Amino acid sequence: MQYENKLEFALQMDQLDPIAKIRDEFSIPKQGNGEDEIYLCGNSLGLQPKLSAEYVKRELDQWANLGVKGHFSGDFPWMPYHEFLSEGFADLVGAKKDEVVAMNTLTANLHFMMVSFYQPTKTRYKILMEDHAFPSDHYAVESQVKFHGFNPEDAVLFIKPRNGEDAIRDEDVLKLIEDEGDSIALIMLPGVQYYTGQVFDMKSITRVGHEKGCKVGFDLAHATGNVLMSLHDWQVDFACWCTYKYLNSGPGSVAGCFVHQNHHKNESLPRFAGWWGHDKESRFKMENNFKPIASAEAWQVSNPPVLSLAAIRGSLDTIKKAGGIKILREKAIKLSGFLRFLIEDELANDVDILTPRDLNSCGSQLSLAIKLKTGDSPERGKEIFDSIEEAGVTADWRYPNVIRVAPVAQYNSFQDVFNFKEILLSAIRKNS
Ligand SMILES: *Cc1c(COP(=O)(O)O)cnc(C)c1O
């Protein structure tokens, strides 16, 4: 793709964009002057699809008008409401419909999955994770290891980037698994790393992990709705994701979970069970023998919050309107490619891009490290960030010097990306 550092070029790209109109399906926050914000924070909280608002309102009305009968009435009864999300989730992660389920929240699902898939023995007891994992993942893994009576110092194995590098090399992950795999019970890595935006080679990690006898699960918080995946074909054991980032389903919304068909009939797997995972035919007989549904639904514990599921359904229908995840990914590659081009063209002396350049290794997010020169205040990065926010940009700040920006295919335009570059440039000039 040949980019040009000109506003006219950005406007032309928007004109040629076959899914530019999908932006109108979202509520875009306004700046003080009444103009749309340049919202580049979809990696943290995605914007509200208008369909989500409509669907949530619809369920509130059902409740008002029908009371308990809403469980069984109308086109979208609450009893099976989570099932209306299966197809959309399956398309996003490359799964069979019965391998995915909407339930709980992300960290809770990591715990439930580890109950089933972290089965340490005396010799195979370690969990491989990534050194710079999201804090919640560290806490979850450490607490699971301790729960089984192991010492995290010994039982949690970390993969990290080489000295002086930002991303983790695929070959280093695979080598570590080959070298240490005999002692690893579970590999739990991100699909997309939250800080750098790096995409992990989930397919190879799963293959090599299985060759060494490890279970393999992924945290897809930053991957679902962002990059293409084939969890079923890759034979991934389990995966978990939240729905409020690239899935635009509202703050704290219900999460998603994948369990490979290989495990659906294995009744010997330990699990923390609840009535919603019990066989649907006999659920309401209220007998006390747990009979798991032969699908990912067996891992459900409670009946889910339907208002939140309605918001997710609105988001999934919006993705469908756009033509699906493949179309979105194509646009996202162009958007983030344009952003990278603009930064390298004009800001190479001021900004390092931490996100890998290879298209297979990056999603919609670029992590920009503000370069600090000798004599600069350590707060310079934060001051630049504050200036761009004042100028109408919403992005994400991480100490000491990183601005994460996520131009997302559904509601960001090439013009957003160009305007962001102009604003960043002037903030850097102002603060130098
Ligand atoms: C966003 C995120 C979380 C948040 O966890 P919740 O349980 O949804 O609060 C956890 N892990 C990763 C990797 C994340 O990106």
Side-chain angles (χ1 to χ4, degrees):
M1 177 98 224
Q2 208 52 37
Y3 297 109
E4 291 173 44
N5 187 350
K6 287 195 193 119
L7 178 60
E8 297 77 62
F9 176 81
L11 296 175
Q12 193 194 351
M13 288 295 286
D14 285 329
Q15 288 237 305
L16 294 173
D17 172 11
I19 56 167
K21 278 244 153 314
I22 294 295
R23 177 182 172 92
D24 300 338
E25 303 280 334
F26 288 84
S27 295
I28 315 276
K30 300 282 183 213
Q31 307 178 39
N33 63 10
E35 283 181 28
D36 286 352
E37 275 184 18
I38 300 170
Y39 193 85
L40 297 169
C41 211
N43 57 322
S44 179
L45 183 73
L47 292 181
Q48 183 183 108
K50 291 175 182 167
L51 276 182
S52 293
E54 183 187 321
Y55 291 177
V56 170
K57 176 71 171 56
R58 186 183 177 282
E59 296 319 317
L60 284 169
D61 291 346
Q62 290 286 93
W63 177 25
N65 297 328
L66 298 173
V68 71
K69 296 194 183 74
H71 282 297
F72 303 101
S73 308
D75 294 339
F76 296 99
W78 303 328
M79 255 293 282
Y81 203 99
H82 63 279
E83 296 172 30
F84 307 134
L85 312 185
S86 309
E87 190 178 329
F89 273 178
D91 287 348
L92 289 173
V93 299
K96 306 288 178 199
K97 267 176 70 173
D98 66 353
E99 290 176 317
V100 291
V101 61
M103 63 182 195
N104 311 316
T105 48
L106 169 55
T107 310
N109 284 341
L110 291 176
H111 277 296
F112 284 113
M113 289 296 107
M114 282 190 275
V115 165
S116 292
F117 296 105
Y118 174 53
Q119 288 305 310
T121 65
K122 270 211 171 73
T123 51
R124 187 189 283 280
Y125 59 92
K126 294 186 182 173
I127 299 183
L128 171 63
M129 68 185 300
E130 171 245 331
D131 187 51
H132 205 302
F134 197 86
S136 201
D137 299 50
H138 279 282
Y139 308 147
V141 163
E142 256 185 42
S143 58
Q144 285 283 337
V145 160
K146 283 193 204 158
F147 179 75
H148 284 278
F150 293 94
N151 177 357
E153 304 238 332
D154 166 41
V156 186
L157 203 57
F158 294 105
I159 177 80
K160 48 179 116 177
R162 295 186 189 181
N163 272 341
E165 297 187 3
D166 302 304
I168 296 172
R169 296 196 194 191
D170 290 333
E171 72 245 39
D172 289 356
V173 184
L174 301 181
K175 172 112 185 9
L176 184 65
I177 298 170
E178 268 158 13
D179 291 349
E180 307 277 340
D182 293 337
S183 67
I184 298 174
L186 173 65
I187 297 167
M188 207 174 80
L189 290 167
V192 174
Q193 212 282 344
Y194 84 96
Y195 185 71
T196 62
Q198 172 184 9
V199 182
F200 278 74
D201 181 356
M202 291 173 258
K203 182 181 180 183
S204 305
I205 290 168
T206 308
R207 180 177 46 79
V208 176
H210 284 169
E211 278 165 14
K212 297 297 287 188
C214 320
K215 289 282 184 290
V216 184
F218 290 99
D219 183 330
L220 303 180
H222 286 261
T224 311
N226 180 8
V227 298
L228 303 180
M229 292 175 284
S230 305
L231 300 186
H232 176 84
D233 290 346
W234 297 342
Q235 302 280 321
V236 170
D237 293 299
F238 71 85
C240 307
W241 58 92
C242 51
T243 56
Y244 47 82
K245 292 170 180 168
Y246 294 99
L247 283 190
N248 308 323
S249 301
S253 199
V254 171
C257 191
F258 164 92
V259 181
H260 200 284
Q261 275 177 348
N262 295 340
H263 305 297
H264 291 181
K265 299 218 167 87
N266 181 357
E267 294 199 11
S268 71
L269 274 182
R271 95 176 91 215
F272 285 168
W275 75 316
W276 227 249
H278 182 90
D279 169 49
K280 290 176 210 179
E281 300 298 310
S282 58
R283 184 186 284 155
F284 286 92
K285 289 191 180 147
M286 302 306 205
E287 292 161 349
N288 294 335
N289 294 321
F290 181 73
K291 188 172 158 210
I293 305 169
S295 78
E297 286 179 89
W299 277 266
Q300 297 174 106
V301 178
S302 299
N303 79 105
V306 167
L307 297 180
S308 173
L309 298 184
I312 302 175
R313 192 166 75 81
S315 165
L316 294 174
D317 279 3
T318 307
I319 292 173
K320 217 170 174 180
K321 267 193 181 181
I325 185 67
K326 282 207 185 82
I327 305 263
L328 292 173
R329 174 71 172 142
E330 274 172 33
K331 176 174 171 186
I333 286 173
K334 289 183 192 154
L335 273 177
S336 58
F338 186 42
L339 176 58
R340 181 184 286 278
F341 165 80
L342 295 174
I343 302 278
E344 289 178 350
D345 193 46
E346 227 168 333
L347 286 159
N349 292 329
D350 303 283
V351 173
D352 275 327
I353 301 178
L354 306 184
T355 311
R357 158 177 292 278
D358 169 27
L359 284 178
N360 292 320
S361 305
C362 74
S364 294
Q365 170 188 326
L366 287 193
S367 300
L368 310 177
I370 305 295
K371 288 189 197 173
L372 294 181
K373 300 179 190 94
T374 32
D376 277 348
S377 144
E379 290 296 312
R380 176 160 181 259
K382 182 65 168 58
E383 284 157 14
I384 291 170
F385 179 75
D386 291 343
S387 304
I388 66 169
E389 288 239 301
E390 251 169 61
V393 170
T394 297
D396 179 278
W397 169 254
R398 293 285 141 154
Y399 271 104
N401 65 336
V402 173
I403 300 174
R404 296 185 302 167
V405 274
V408 305
Q410 292 191 63
Y411 49 77
N412 285 124
S413 60
F414 290 85
Q415 188 181 0
D416 280 342
V417 170
F418 186 85
N419 289 343
F420 166 75
K421 182 272 295 179
E422 293 278 279
I423 290 170
L424 180 62
L425 184 64
S426 77
I428 285 175
R429 295 276 145 80
K430 195 172 104 193
N431 289 282
S432 61

Short mmCIF file of all heavy atoms in Angstrom, two decimals, residues 260-296:
data_model
loop_
_atom_site.label_atom_id
_atom_site.label_comp_id
_atom_site.label_asym_id
_atom_site.label_seq_id
_atom_site.Cartn_x
_atom_site.Cartn_y
_atom_site.Cartn_z
N HIS A 260 -12.43 -26.25 23.50
CA HIS A 260 -12.38 -27.09 22.30
C HIS A 260 -13.26 -28.32 22.45
O HIS A 260 -13.35 -28.91 23.53
CB HIS A 260 -10.94 -27.51 22.01
CG HIS A 260 -10.75 -27.94 20.59
ND1 HIS A 260 -11.17 -29.17 20.12
CD2 HIS A 260 -10.22 -27.28 19.54
CE1 HIS A 260 -10.89 -29.24 18.81
NE2 HIS A 260 -10.31 -28.11 18.44
N GLN A 261 -13.89 -28.69 21.34
CA GLN A 261 -14.76 -29.88 21.31
C GLN A 261 -14.08 -31.12 21.91
O GLN A 261 -14.74 -31.97 22.48
CB GLN A 261 -15.16 -30.21 19.87
CG GLN A 261 -16.36 -29.44 19.37
CD GLN A 261 -16.68 -29.73 17.90
OE1 GLN A 261 -15.88 -30.33 17.19
NE2 GLN A 261 -17.84 -29.28 17.46
N ASN A 262 -12.75 -31.20 21.75
CA ASN A 262 -12.01 -32.35 22.30
C ASN A 262 -12.32 -32.61 23.77
O ASN A 262 -12.13 -33.71 24.25
CB ASN A 262 -10.49 -32.09 22.21
CG ASN A 262 -10.01 -31.99 20.78
OD1 ASN A 262 -10.70 -32.47 19.87
ND2 ASN A 262 -8.86 -31.39 20.56
N HIS A 263 -12.77 -31.57 24.48
CA HIS A 263 -12.96 -31.71 25.93
C HIS A 263 -14.43 -31.80 26.35
O HIS A 263 -14.71 -31.97 27.53
CB HIS A 263 -12.32 -30.52 26.65
CG HIS A 263 -10.87 -30.34 26.31
ND1 HIS A 263 -9.91 -31.28 26.61
CD2 HIS A 263 -10.22 -29.34 25.65
CE1 HIS A 263 -8.73 -30.87 26.16
NE2 HIS A 263 -8.89 -29.69 25.57
N HIS A 264 -15.34 -31.70 25.37
CA HIS A 264 -16.75 -31.57 25.76
C HIS A 264 -17.32 -32.82 26.41
O HIS A 264 -18.23 -32.74 27.22
CB HIS A 264 -17.61 -31.20 24.54
CG HIS A 264 -17.35 -29.81 24.05
ND1 HIS A 264 -18.02 -29.26 22.99
CD2 HIS A 264 -16.48 -28.84 24.45
CE1 HIS A 264 -17.57 -28.02 22.77
NE2 HIS A 264 -16.63 -27.77 23.64
N LYS A 265 -16.79 -33.97 26.02
CA LYS A 265 -17.38 -35.21 26.56
C LYS A 265 -16.57 -35.79 27.69
O LYS A 265 -16.89 -36.84 28.22
CB LYS A 265 -17.53 -36.24 25.42
CG LYS A 265 -18.46 -35.74 24.31
CD LYS A 265 -19.32 -36.87 23.76
CE LYS A 265 -20.45 -36.32 22.90
NZ LYS A 265 -20.06 -36.11 21.50
N ASN A 266 -15.51 -35.08 28.08
CA ASN A 266 -14.64 -35.60 29.12
C ASN A 266 -15.22 -35.24 30.50
O ASN A 266 -14.94 -34.18 31.05
CB ASN A 266 -13.24 -35.00 28.95
CG ASN A 266 -12.28 -35.51 30.00
OD1 ASN A 266 -12.68 -36.27 30.89
ND2 ASN A 266 -11.03 -35.09 29.90
N GLU A 267 -15.99 -36.14 31.05
CA GLU A 267 -16.65 -35.83 32.33
C GLU A 267 -15.70 -35.96 33.51
O GLU A 267 -16.05 -35.62 34.64
CB GLU A 267 -17.90 -36.72 32.51
CG GLU A 267 -18.95 -36.38 31.47
CD GLU A 267 -20.35 -36.85 31.82
OE1 GLU A 267 -20.59 -37.27 32.97
OE2 GLU A 267 -21.21 -36.80 30.92
N SER A 268 -14.49 -36.44 33.25
CA SER A 268 -13.54 -36.56 34.36
C SER A 268 -12.79 -35.25 34.62
O SER A 268 -12.08 -35.12 35.61
CB SER A 268 -12.54 -37.69 34.09
OG SER A 268 -11.66 -37.29 33.06
N LEU A 269 -12.95 -34.27 33.72
CA LEU A 269 -12.29 -32.98 33.96
C LEU A 269 -12.86 -32.35 35.23
O LEU A 269 -14.09 -32.28 35.38
CB LEU A 269 -12.56 -32.01 32.80
CG LEU A 269 -11.66 -32.03 31.59
CD1 LEU A 269 -12.13 -30.95 30.62
CD2 LEU A 269 -10.21 -31.81 31.96
N PRO A 270 -12.00 -31.88 36.11
CA PRO A 270 -12.54 -31.17 37.26
C PRO A 270 -13.19 -29.87 36.81
O PRO A 270 -12.74 -29.27 35.82
CB PRO A 270 -11.31 -30.88 38.13
CG PRO A 270 -10.13 -31.15 37.30
CD PRO A 270 -10.54 -31.90 36.07
N ARG A 271 -14.23 -29.46 37.45
CA ARG A 271 -14.79 -28.14 37.12
C ARG A 271 -15.59 -27.62 38.30
O ARG A 271 -16.08 -28.40 39.11
CB ARG A 271 -15.61 -28.21 35.84
CG ARG A 271 -17.08 -28.42 36.02
CD ARG A 271 -17.80 -28.37 34.70
NE ARG A 271 -17.91 -29.69 34.10
CZ ARG A 271 -17.86 -29.92 32.79
NH1 ARG A 271 -17.67 -28.94 31.94
NH2 ARG A 271 -18.00 -31.15 32.34
N PHE A 272 -15.69 -26.31 38.38
CA PHE A 272 -16.55 -25.69 39.39
C PHE A 272 -17.91 -25.50 38.71
O PHE A 272 -18.05 -24.67 37.82
CB PHE A 272 -15.99 -24.34 39.84
CG PHE A 272 -14.81 -24.45 40.77
CD1 PHE A 272 -14.04 -23.34 41.08
CD2 PHE A 272 -14.46 -25.67 41.35
CE1 PHE A 272 -12.95 -23.44 41.94
CE2 PHE A 272 -13.38 -25.78 42.21
CZ PHE A 272 -12.62 -24.65 42.52
N ALA A 273 -18.86 -26.26 39.12
CA ALA A 273 -20.12 -26.34 38.38
C ALA A 273 -21.23 -25.47 38.97
O ALA A 273 -21.18 -25.08 40.14
CB ALA A 273 -20.60 -27.80 38.34
N GLY A 274 -22.21 -25.19 38.15
CA GLY A 274 -23.41 -24.48 38.58
C GLY A 274 -24.58 -24.92 37.70
O GLY A 274 -24.38 -25.58 36.68
N TRP A 275 -25.78 -24.51 38.08
CA TRP A 275 -26.98 -25.08 37.44
C TRP A 275 -27.08 -24.74 35.96
O TRP A 275 -27.70 -25.46 35.19
CB TRP A 275 -28.23 -24.68 38.20
CG TRP A 275 -28.71 -23.26 38.01
CD1 TRP A 275 -27.95 -22.14 38.01
CD2 TRP A 275 -30.06 -22.83 37.80
NE1 TRP A 275 -28.73 -21.03 37.83
CE2 TRP A 275 -30.04 -21.42 37.71
CE3 TRP A 275 -31.29 -23.49 37.71
CZ2 TRP A 275 -31.20 -20.67 37.50
CZ3 TRP A 275 -32.44 -22.73 37.51
CH2 TRP A 275 -32.39 -21.34 37.40
N TRP A 276 -26.48 -23.62 35.51
CA TRP A 276 -26.63 -23.27 34.11
C TRP A 276 -25.76 -24.14 33.20
O TRP A 276 -25.92 -24.14 31.99
CB TRP A 276 -26.35 -21.77 33.89
CG TRP A 276 -27.40 -21.14 33.03
CD1 TRP A 276 -27.22 -20.67 31.77
CD2 TRP A 276 -28.79 -20.94 33.34
NE1 TRP A 276 -28.41 -20.19 31.27
CE2 TRP A 276 -29.39 -20.34 32.21
CE3 TRP A 276 -29.58 -21.22 34.45
CZ2 TRP A 276 -30.75 -20.01 32.17
CZ3 TRP A 276 -30.92 -20.89 34.41
CH2 TRP A 276 -31.49 -20.29 33.27
N GLY A 277 -24.85 -24.90 33.80
CA GLY A 277 -24.03 -25.83 33.00
C GLY A 277 -24.67 -27.21 32.90
O GLY A 277 -24.18 -28.09 32.19
N HIS A 278 -25.77 -27.38 33.61
CA HIS A 278 -26.44 -28.69 33.67
C HIS A 278 -27.33 -28.90 32.44
O HIS A 278 -27.93 -27.96 31.93
CB HIS A 278 -27.28 -28.74 34.96
CG HIS A 278 -27.99 -30.03 35.18
ND1 HIS A 278 -27.43 -31.08 35.86
CD2 HIS A 278 -29.23 -30.45 34.79
CE1 HIS A 278 -28.29 -32.09 35.91
NE2 HIS A 278 -29.39 -31.74 35.24
N ASP A 279 -27.41 -30.11 32.01
CA ASP A 279 -28.27 -30.56 30.92
C ASP A 279 -29.60 -29.79 30.88
O ASP A 279 -30.33 -29.73 31.87
CB ASP A 279 -28.53 -32.06 31.15
CG ASP A 279 -29.63 -32.57 30.24
OD1 ASP A 279 -29.54 -32.29 29.03
OD2 ASP A 279 -30.55 -33.23 30.75
N LYS A 280 -29.89 -29.18 29.70
CA LYS A 280 -31.03 -28.27 29.64
C LYS A 280 -32.38 -28.97 29.83
O LYS A 280 -33.31 -28.41 30.41
CB LYS A 280 -31.04 -27.52 28.30
CG LYS A 280 -29.91 -26.52 28.20
CD LYS A 280 -29.89 -25.85 26.83
CE LYS A 280 -28.48 -25.47 26.49
NZ LYS A 280 -28.34 -24.84 25.17
N GLU A 281 -32.46 -30.21 29.34
CA GLU A 281 -33.73 -30.96 29.43
C GLU A 281 -34.16 -31.12 30.89
O GLU A 281 -35.34 -31.03 31.22
CB GLU A 281 -33.57 -32.36 28.83
CG GLU A 281 -33.16 -32.37 27.37
CD GLU A 281 -34.20 -31.71 26.48
OE1 GLU A 281 -35.37 -32.07 26.61
OE2 GLU A 281 -33.82 -30.81 25.70
N SER A 282 -33.19 -31.38 31.74
CA SER A 282 -33.55 -31.73 33.13
C SER A 282 -33.18 -30.63 34.13
O SER A 282 -33.31 -30.83 35.33
CB SER A 282 -32.88 -33.04 33.53
OG SER A 282 -31.48 -32.92 33.40
N ARG A 283 -32.78 -29.45 33.62
CA ARG A 283 -32.33 -28.39 34.53
C ARG A 283 -33.40 -28.02 35.57
O ARG A 283 -33.11 -27.85 36.74
CB ARG A 283 -31.95 -27.15 33.72
CG ARG A 283 -31.37 -26.03 34.56
CD ARG A 283 -31.15 -24.78 33.72
NE ARG A 283 -29.98 -24.89 32.86
CZ ARG A 283 -29.84 -24.20 31.72
NH1 ARG A 283 -30.80 -23.39 31.30
NH2 ARG A 283 -28.76 -24.32 30.99
N PHE A 284 -34.62 -27.94 35.10
CA PHE A 284 -35.67 -27.45 36.00
C PHE A 284 -36.34 -28.57 36.79
O PHE A 284 -37.30 -28.33 37.52
CB PHE A 284 -36.68 -26.61 35.22
CG PHE A 284 -36.11 -25.26 34.88
CD1 PHE A 284 -35.46 -25.05 33.67
CD2 PHE A 284 -36.17 -24.22 35.80
CE1 PHE A 284 -34.90 -23.82 33.37
CE2 PHE A 284 -35.62 -22.98 35.50
CZ PHE A 284 -34.98 -22.77 34.28
N LYS A 285 -35.83 -29.80 36.65
CA LYS A 285 -36.33 -30.86 37.53
C LYS A 285 -35.73 -30.68 38.92
O LYS A 285 -36.17 -31.32 39.88
CB LYS A 285 -35.96 -32.24 36.98
CG LYS A 285 -36.74 -32.58 35.73
CD LYS A 285 -36.57 -34.04 35.35
CE LYS A 285 -37.39 -34.32 34.09
NZ LYS A 285 -36.72 -35.34 33.26
N MET A 286 -34.72 -29.85 39.01
CA MET A 286 -34.10 -29.52 40.29
C MET A 286 -33.60 -30.77 41.02
O MET A 286 -33.74 -30.89 42.23
CB MET A 286 -35.07 -28.73 41.18
CG MET A 286 -35.57 -27.43 40.57
SD MET A 286 -34.24 -26.35 40.02
CE MET A 286 -35.02 -24.75 40.09
N GLU A 287 -33.06 -31.72 40.24
CA GLU A 287 -32.43 -32.87 40.88
C GLU A 287 -31.00 -32.47 41.23
O GLU A 287 -30.49 -31.49 40.72
CB GLU A 287 -32.42 -34.06 39.93
CG GLU A 287 -33.81 -34.59 39.68
CD GLU A 287 -33.92 -35.45 38.42
OE1 GLU A 287 -32.96 -35.46 37.62
OE2 GLU A 287 -34.96 -36.08 38.27
N ASN A 288 -30.36 -33.28 42.06
CA ASN A 288 -29.06 -32.82 42.55
C ASN A 288 -27.85 -33.50 41.93
O ASN A 288 -26.74 -33.34 42.42
CB ASN A 288 -29.01 -32.92 44.08
CG ASN A 288 -30.01 -31.95 44.70
OD1 ASN A 288 -30.36 -30.94 44.09
ND2 ASN A 288 -30.49 -32.26 45.89
N ASN A 289 -28.06 -34.26 40.84
CA ASN A 289 -26.91 -34.86 40.16
C ASN A 289 -26.53 -34.04 38.95
O ASN A 289 -27.30 -33.95 37.99
CB ASN A 289 -27.23 -36.29 39.70
CG ASN A 289 -27.45 -37.19 40.89
OD1 ASN A 289 -26.73 -37.07 41.90
ND2 ASN A 289 -28.45 -38.05 40.81
N PHE A 290 -25.34 -33.46 38.98
CA PHE A 290 -24.90 -32.59 37.89
C PHE A 290 -24.61 -33.40 36.63
O PHE A 290 -23.83 -34.35 36.64
CB PHE A 290 -23.63 -31.84 38.31
CG PHE A 290 -23.12 -30.89 37.25
CD1 PHE A 290 -23.79 -29.70 36.98
CD2 PHE A 290 -21.97 -31.18 36.53
CE1 PHE A 290 -23.33 -28.82 36.00
CE2 PHE A 290 -21.49 -30.31 35.55
CZ PHE A 290 -22.17 -29.13 35.29
N LYS A 291 -25.30 -33.00 35.55
CA LYS A 291 -25.10 -33.67 34.27
C LYS A 291 -24.68 -32.59 33.27
O LYS A 291 -25.52 -31.80 32.82
CB LYS A 291 -26.42 -34.33 33.86
CG LYS A 291 -26.32 -35.21 32.66
CD LYS A 291 -27.65 -35.96 32.47
CE LYS A 291 -27.79 -36.41 31.02
NZ LYS A 291 -29.16 -36.50 30.56
N PRO A 292 -23.37 -32.49 32.95
CA PRO A 292 -22.90 -31.36 32.13
C PRO A 292 -23.45 -31.40 30.71
O PRO A 292 -23.56 -32.48 30.11
CB PRO A 292 -21.38 -31.52 32.13
CG PRO A 292 -21.11 -32.94 32.51
CD PRO A 292 -22.28 -33.40 33.33
N ILE A 293 -23.79 -30.23 30.17
CA ILE A 293 -24.15 -30.10 28.75
C ILE A 293 -22.89 -30.49 27.96
O ILE A 293 -21.78 -30.14 28.36
CB ILE A 293 -24.52 -28.64 28.42
CG1 ILE A 293 -25.63 -28.13 29.35
CG2 ILE A 293 -24.93 -28.49 26.95
CD1 ILE A 293 -25.87 -26.62 29.27
N ALA A 294 -23.07 -31.20 26.84
CA ALA A 294 -21.88 -31.63 26.08
C ALA A 294 -21.40 -30.52 25.15
O ALA A 294 -21.33 -30.68 23.93
CB ALA A 294 -22.19 -32.91 25.32
N SER A 295 -21.09 -29.37 25.72
CA SER A 295 -20.58 -28.24 24.93
C SER A 295 -19.90 -27.27 25.89
O SER A 295 -19.87 -27.51 27.10
CB SER A 295 -21.74 -27.52 24.21
OG SER A 295 -22.44 -26.70 25.11
N ALA A 296 -19.39 -26.16 25.33
CA ALA A 296 -18.75 -25.16 26.20
C ALA A 296 -19.73 -24.62 27.24
O ALA A 296 -19.33 -24.12 28.29
CB ALA A 296 -18.21 -24.01 25.34
#
